[in-house]
Amino acid sequence: MIHGIGTDICDIRRVTATFERQGERFARKVLSDAEFAVWQRRSVRWPQRGLRYLATRFSAKEAFSKAIGLGMRMPMSWRLCEITNLPSGQPVIVLHGGLKTWFEAQGLSVHVTVTDETDYAASFVVVEKNTP
C-alpha cells in the first residue's frame, strides 16, 4: 500500500547561488559523509557536475521528506538520509540514526528516481507501507 509520494524540482542555478554564498558549508549541511566524498571527487574533475550532484541530492531528500509526511522535521534531517547508487546505477535511499529507526518501526520501504538537466534537478519518491 502506498504511504506517500513526494516530488521535487530544484533549480540548479539556485543551488549554485547558495553554494557561491555559503561554500562547502552548504554541501556539508545537505550531504552525508559518503555523499560529501563523492561530491568532492566530482567537483574536482568538473565543478558543474559536482553542483548537479548536490542539486539532485537536495531534491531527492526534499521529495523523500514529503513522501514520509514529515517535511524537514525530526527525525528527518539532511544528513540522515543518503542517496546512493547500486552497482547498476539505480538510485537508492539509505537511512541512518533516528530516521532509520523511525522508518523501520513504521514498516516502510522506499523507491527513488532522480534526474538532472541543464537547469533543473528532479526527484520522485514513493514510500510504501509493507504488509506482513
Side-chain angles (χ1 to χ4, degrees), residues 34-53:
E35 290 170 322
F36 188 80
V38 172
W39 171 78
Q40 283 184 309
R41 286 192 305 274
R42 290 184 181 197
S43 294
V44 167
R45 290 182 25 207
W46 187 22
Q48 188 59 34
R49 186 169 180 233
L51 289 168
R52 286 202 309 265
Y53 178 84

